[in-house]
């Protein structure tokens, strides 16, 4: 007979409301205390998962900024304004500041309205201290230079270290909230499984992008507020205290303002009432009605803020990864890509920051991966509904049915508790997956590791439950416990090795993309970012031979990027810069002419051509310089510097020696993310 540990004393339960009396009257099954009683205590478990979360990601403190940090933080004028920018953050698209810099408008289907995390960046900036208008303009126009030669740039990078630690602390807090949610709602009768599921979530390497990339704070905050919504919704159901209903509704709105994933709660909340509170279907729907009001509020806010998507952006392969695909290829590729998420949850290697075009080639229905993915996901959907139907098949009141009753699904006998847990885990996984796999919404990317963050909760719920039930099959409690501990220790060790190493890759764009080029060699953006880092490195290289080598390597990577994406505007722009640095103005002009043809509204295009004229001038190609500057005067008639340079050059051609134009070529902005 299995050894039992004494159960800790329980606090007296609050008196139930009359409407909840049937639920409260159901006796709570005794937990099987396979482990020492202290391990079941919430505070002990919170310390365990909190320490793991912090230790796994504390080495991100030394990181700088990478990937979309540039768009959301570095080049976001509203963030730099601190408190003064919060109004604009609340009333504009998340990428509005970036779009303005390119004389553009909304480039993503449906826009992006997720202001809460960006508000935290603005609050941090206010606490760090205001940045002067001149320095803000410099950040907005050029980003941060490779060699950090200004005090403002060094200060900003030091502040990024603090932002990283805020991310780690928020992640730690969200993991503890997840633990409470799982104990209070999903695994009420087995808090060890709640602990295992939370540990699996905290250590999973696929989450490195969410924590190591500061911009992805929206993912962390979204899950945190979703967990708090669940917790207070169930407290209200249990205690009848309207204060908890208000808390739940507020947290639900905050979840929406963090990221759009909160819409999945319209399915998950009533489902959880049915599965874990034993509510009737009609009662569960009725108890969900107040949350529809929150959805309406968010929808109204979003409609006021998000602008229509520009037609040109929908044709851009970097904004619409299926722009070149047929309808059959779109469907097949979306099905196949969904399997990639499932694979990464089971085996998170290799990891990459970018899955944009053409990292995942288009597929059709002749590809076996498409059919494997379709079969796996169809089975998940079928099983979820089969479990739910079996759960609902009993006559009212369902609360009177003991949990020891056995049910058979696909030849497997299971308890009613198992039906509820597996059904909810599948629903959590699939409902969030449906929001990110491009079936309902065009998310502007083929896939992204950060996007599986919420779905992984459902995966961890099921994985932890099956692991624990498998250990229970071992006859000896001591042997089973030892096996479970061994599995967890080995898993923590392997995941820790992967996570800590991956965190280091995320130090900055240079380290990230130079690592990921080996994983995503056909990605337009990875090739472009490696090229950009090489060109920026050449800016500070003192060895002339090494400088030219870096520039040529950068051009080669841009050649690769533009062989994949033939209308890549930023690629043409930055390749032109590289040619100018090599003293090859004709090649630079050919690239700039492509920019002008593809994107005539490119910001300050006249200044770029002016610098091209300077390059011609310093290479003793004065007639070509004059021709380019004349083009500048047509593009921007009031640009006095161009006319002055023409006059200087004309006098030189006429034999009157004059000083050269006063402005040298400038460093190009980084490529569009």
């Amino acid at each position: 007979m299995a050894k039992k540990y004494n159960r800790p004393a329980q606090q007296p339960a609050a008196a139930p409301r009359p409407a909840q009396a049937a639920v409260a009257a159901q006796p709570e099954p005794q937990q099987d205390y396979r482990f020492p009683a202290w391990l079941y205590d919430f505070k002990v478990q919170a310390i365990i998962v909190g320490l793991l979360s912090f230790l796994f990601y504390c080495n991100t403190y030394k990181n700088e900024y990478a990937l979309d940090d540039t768009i959301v933080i570095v080049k976001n004028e509203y963030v730099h304004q601190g408190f003064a920018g919060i109004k604009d953050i609340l009333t504009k698209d998340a990428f509005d500041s970036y779009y303005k810099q390119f004389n553009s408008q909304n480039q993503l289907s449906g826009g992006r309205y997720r202001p809460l995390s960006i508000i935290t960046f603005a609050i941090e900036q206010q606490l760090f201290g205001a940045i002067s208008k001149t320095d803000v303009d410099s950040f907005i126009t050029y980003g941060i230079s490779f060699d950090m030669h200004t005090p403002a740039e060094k200060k900003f990078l030091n502040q990024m270290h603090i932002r990283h630690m805020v991310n780690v602390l928020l992640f730690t807090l969200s993991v503890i909230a997840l633990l409470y949610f799982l104990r209070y709602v999903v695994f009420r009768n087995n808090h060890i499984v709640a602990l295992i599921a939370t540990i699996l979530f905290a250590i999973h390497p696929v989450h490195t992008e969410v924590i190591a990339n500061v911009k992805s704070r929206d993912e962390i905050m979204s899950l945190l507020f979703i967990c708090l919504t669940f917790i207070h919704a169930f407290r209200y159901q249990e205690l009848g205290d309207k204060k908890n209903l208000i808390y739940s509704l507020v947290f639900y709105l905050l979840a929406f303002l963090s990221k759009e994933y909160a819409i999945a709660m319209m399915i998950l909340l009533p489902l959880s009432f049915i599965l874990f509170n034993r509510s009737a279907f009609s009662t569960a729907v009725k108890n969900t009605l107040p949350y529809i009001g929150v959805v309406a509020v968010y929808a109204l806010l979003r409609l006021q803020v998000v602008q229509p998507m520009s037609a040109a952006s929908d044709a851009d392969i970097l904004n619409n990864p299926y722009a070149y695909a047929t309808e059959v290829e779109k469907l097949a590729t979306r099905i196949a890509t969904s399997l990639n998420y499932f694979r990464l949850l089971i085996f998170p290697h290799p990891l990459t920051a970018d899955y944009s075009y053409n990292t995942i080639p288009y597929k059709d229905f002749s590809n076996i991966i498409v059919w494997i993915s379709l079969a796996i996901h169809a089975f998940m959907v079928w099983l979820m509904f089969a479990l739910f139907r079996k759960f609902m098949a009993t006559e009212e009141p369902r609360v009177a049915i003991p949990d020891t009753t056995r049910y058979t699904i696909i030849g497997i006998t299971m308890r009613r508790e198992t039906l509820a847990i597996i059904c909810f885990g599948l629903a959590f996984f699939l409902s969030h997956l449906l929001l990110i796999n491009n079936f309902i919404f065009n998310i502007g990317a083929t896939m992204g590791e950060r996007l599986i963050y919420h779905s992984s909760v459902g995966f961890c719920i099921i994985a932890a439950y099956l692991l624990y039930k498998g250990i229970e099959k071992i006859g000896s409690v001591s042997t089973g416990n030892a096996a479970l501990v061994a599995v967890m220790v080995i898993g923590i060790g392997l995941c820790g090795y992967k996570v800590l190493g991956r965190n280091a890759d995320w130090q900055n764009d240079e380290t990230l993309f130079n690592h990921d080029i080996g994983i995503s060699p056909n990605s337009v953006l990875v090739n472009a970012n490696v090229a950009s880092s090489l060109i920026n490195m050449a800016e500070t290289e003192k060895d002339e031979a090494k400088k030219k080598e870096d520039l040529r390597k950068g051009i080669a990577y841009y050649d690769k990027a533009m062989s994949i994406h033939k209308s890549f505007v930023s690629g043409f722009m930055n390749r032109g810069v590289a040619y100018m640095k090599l003293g090859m103005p004709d090649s630079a002009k050919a690239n700039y002419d492509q920019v002008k043809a593809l994107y005539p509204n490119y910001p300050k295009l006249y200044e770029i051509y002016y610098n091209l004229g300077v390059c011609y001038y310093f290479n003793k190609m004065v007639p070509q310089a004059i021709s380019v500057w004349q083009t500048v005067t047509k593009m921007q008639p009031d640009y006095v510097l161009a006319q002055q340079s023409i006059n200087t050059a004309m006098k030189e051609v006429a034999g009157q020696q004059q000083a050269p134009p006063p402005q040298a070529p400038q460093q190009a902005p980084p490529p569009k993310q």
Side-chain angles (χ1 to χ4, degrees):
M1 182 175 178
K3 181 179 179 181
K4 304 276 188 178
Y5 288 92
N6 292 328
R7 183 174 186 177
Q10 300 292 317
Q11 294 295 325
R17 293 185 302 160
Q20 302 295 322
V23 175
Q26 175 71 7
E28 180 184 352
Q30 293 286 319
Q31 295 193 37
D32 184 359
Y33 281 79
R34 298 173 59 95
F35 292 91
W38 55 265
L39 189 58
Y40 293 76
D41 184 76
F42 173 73
K43 292 180 181 178
V44 173
Q45 292 187 351
I47 291 172
I48 293 172
V49 298
L51 281 175
L52 280 174
S53 303
F54 183 82
L55 292 174
F56 265 53
Y57 289 98
C58 63
N59 71 326
T60 60
Y61 172 76
K62 62 184 178 182
N63 290 1
E64 299 168 4
Y65 66 91
L67 199 63
D68 288 338
D69 288 343
T70 300
I71 298 175
V72 178
I73 302 174
V74 179
K75 302 184 74 175
N76 191 328
E77 60 183 298
Y78 309 135
V79 169
H80 290 300
Q81 292 170 11
F83 290 160
I86 291 178
K87 179 181 177 182
D88 286 312
I89 293 171
L90 279 170
T91 56
K92 298 182 185 299
D93 188 281
F95 300 144
D96 177 77
S97 177
Y98 187 73
Y99 293 152
K100 287 192 338 186
Q101 296 156 39
F102 284 88
N103 296 328
S104 181
Q105 61 187 59
N106 177 29
Q107 297 181 9
L108 297 172
S109 177
R112 297 294 182 268
Y113 184 61
R114 45 189 73 157
L116 198 57
S117 62
I118 305 176
I119 288 173
T120 67
F121 301 144
I123 293 172
E124 288 167 351
Q125 191 61 55
Q126 184 71 33
L127 297 176
F128 295 151
I131 298 178
S132 70
K133 183 68 166 64
T134 302
D135 287 331
V136 169
D137 288 344
S138 177
F139 284 142
I140 297 301
T141 305
Y142 304 114
I144 297 180
S145 60
F146 182 77
D147 57 348
M148 301 182 300
H149 52 72
T150 71
E153 290 170 350
K154 293 180 179 179
K155 181 174 182 290
F156 187 86
L157 288 175
N158 287 333
Q159 293 165 358
M160 287 302 298
H161 301 322
I162 300 174
R163 295 186 198 271
H164 277 288
M165 286 312 299
V166 173
N167 257 32
V168 174
L169 293 174
L170 282 173
F171 174 66
T172 302
L173 178 62
S174 70
V175 168
I176 293 173
L178 175 63
L179 171 67
Y180 193 98
F181 158 60
L182 294 178
R183 285 169 55 101
Y184 188 59
V185 175
V186 183
F187 297 111
R188 294 179 176 181
N189 304 324
N190 198 325
H191 293 163
I192 288 296
V193 184
L195 175 63
I196 295 171
T198 309
I199 289 175
L200 292 179
F201 180 85
I203 68 175
H204 205 297
V206 80
H207 297 156
T208 49
E209 177 178 354
V210 171
I211 299 94
N213 188 207
V214 177
K215 172 267 171 191
S216 291
R217 186 178 296 176
D218 53 359
E219 307 278 351
I220 299 173
M221 296 178 69
S222 170
L223 184 58
L224 169 62
F225 291 122
I226 284 174
C227 289
L228 292 174
T229 300
F230 269 116
I231 291 167
H232 286 281
F234 271 74
R235 280 186 176 175
Y236 173 65
Q237 293 296 305
E238 179 184 353
L239 304 175
D241 183 351
K242 290 189 177 180
K243 177 178 65 177
N244 280 296
L245 176 61
I246 294 172
Y247 287 156
S248 183
L249 294 173
V250 170
F251 286 133
Y252 190 41
L253 179 59
L254 293 176
F256 262 121
L257 295 176
S258 298
K259 202 163 185 180
E260 298 87 344
Y261 292 123
I263 192 63
M265 292 284 283
M266 286 293 94
I267 296 173
L268 296 176
L269 202 55
L271 180 65
S272 64
F273 291 156
I274 293 170
L275 296 176
F276 303 118
N277 253 6
R278 311 294 172 82
S279 299
F281 184 86
S282 57
T283 303
V285 172
K286 179 181 177 182
N287 290 336
T288 307
L289 291 179
Y291 299 88
I292 297 177
V294 174
V295 177
V297 169
Y298 173 76
L300 288 174
L301 289 172
R302 186 183 181 89
L303 288 172
Q304 294 294 319
V305 169
V306 175
Q307 300 299 313
M309 181 181 180
S310 64
S313 296
D314 193 47
D316 186 346
I317 197 66
L318 296 182
N319 296 319
N320 178 9
Y322 297 102
Y324 301 159
T326 66
E327 292 302 317
V328 171
E329 287 174 331
K330 289 178 184 179
L331 179 59
T333 308
R334 288 165 180 166
I335 293 172
T337 302
S338 297
L339 187 62
N340 289 344
Y341 286 121
F342 190 61
R343 179 190 64 79
L344 284 174
L345 288 173
I346 296 174
F347 186 69
H349 178 84
L351 300 176
T352 181
D354 184 77
Y355 292 87
S356 64
Y357 188 81
N358 186 36
T359 303
I360 301 176
Y362 295 150
K363 295 176 175 61
D364 58 34
F365 283 94
S366 65
N367 192 304
I368 188 62
I369 299 297
V370 177
W371 291 103
I372 293 174
S373 178
L374 185 61
I376 290 175
H377 288 92
F379 173 74
M380 288 184 189
V381 173
W382 173 85
L383 181 59
M384 177 185 69
F385 281 106
L387 292 169
F388 183 71
R389 284 197 302 268
K390 185 69 71 171
F391 189 92
M392 297 290 289
T394 56
E395 295 181 0
E396 296 288 356
R398 290 191 302 277
V399 294
I401 299 173
D403 280 335
T404 55
T405 304
R406 302 289 176 170
Y407 302 87
T408 301
I409 299 286
I410 56 173
I412 300 175
T413 302
M414 58 186 74
R415 292 190 302 142
R416 201 150 183 271
E417 176 191 56
T418 304
L419 296 178
I421 291 171
I422 301 299
C423 179
F424 184 76
L426 287 169
F428 208 105
F429 175 82
L430 292 170
S431 61
H432 288 101
L433 180 66
L434 196 59
L435 298 176
I436 63 171
N437 60 7
N438 286 294
F439 276 100
I440 297 179
F441 309 106
N442 176 8
I443 64 171
T446 310
M447 65 173 289
E449 290 164 11
R450 68 189 179 280
L451 303 177
I452 199 64
Y453 186 72
H454 288 62
S455 281
S456 68
V457 173
F459 173 85
C460 291
I461 287 173
I462 297 173
Y465 189 73
L466 295 180
L467 174 62
Y468 187 84
K469 289 302 176 182
I471 293 298
E472 276 189 338
K473 299 297 183 182
I474 299 176
S476 168
V477 172
S478 59
T479 303
N481 289 355
L484 180 58
V485 171
V487 169
M488 296 303 295
V489 169
I490 292 172
I492 290 170
L494 292 175
C495 289
Y497 177 80
K498 179 68 176 179
V499 167
L500 293 173
R502 186 59 179 161
N503 289 344
D505 293 337
W506 278 92
Q507 181 176 356
N508 52 44
D509 278 344
E510 284 69 37
T511 57
L512 180 63
F513 291 111
N514 278 285
H515 173 274
D516 288 2
I517 190 66
I519 311 299
S520 304
N522 294 318
S523 164
V524 172
L525 288 181
V526 172
N527 278 280
N529 278 283
V530 172
S532 180
S533 69
L534 287 164
I535 294 170
N536 287 336
M537 287 171 63
E539 184 74 14
T540 58
E541 180 58 58
K542 296 181 180 179
D543 185 316
E544 194 63 26
K546 181 66 168 61
K547 178 177 182 176
K548 290 182 178 180
E549 180 185 358
D550 287 343
L551 289 170
R552 291 192 179 100
K553 285 182 178 178
I555 289 171
Y557 277 111
Y558 272 125
D559 290 344
K560 175 70 177 291
M562 286 178 286
S563 70
I564 302 169
H565 181 17
K566 301 187 185 304
S567 57
F568 185 28
V569 174
S570 291
F572 285 114
M573 173 59 65
N574 290 333
R575 189 170 65 176
V577 171
Y579 278 123
M580 283 213 302
K581 292 178 185 292
L582 283 172
M584 301 171 64
D586 284 339
S587 296
K589 184 177 184 300
N591 280 271
Y592 292 155
D593 287 345
Q594 286 290 331
V595 174
K596 184 180 177 183
L598 292 168
Y599 194 173
N601 292 328
Y602 195 94
K604 297 187 177 180
L605 191 60
Y606 63 92
E607 288 188 356
I608 293 164
Y609 270 88
Y610 173 79
N611 288 333
L612 175 62
V614 174
C615 185
Y616 272 119
Y617 187 92
F618 282 126
N619 280 277
K620 311 298 183 184
M621 303 169 73
V622 179
Q624 291 89 335
I626 293 172
S627 176
V628 169
W629 286 329
Q630 288 172 338
T631 300
V632 172
T633 60
K634 294 177 182 178
M635 296 168 63
Q636 192 76 12
D638 60 349
Y639 192 55
V640 178
L641 188 57
Q643 188 59 56
Q644 291 175 342
S645 298
I646 291 171
N647 295 339
T648 298
M650 294 289 285
K651 290 178 181 178
E652 182 173 325
V653 170
Q656 303 177 34
Q657 189 67 34
Q658 297 288 332
Q663 187 169 335
Q666 297 180 2
Q667 179 178 336
K672 175 187 173 188
Q673 297 291 324

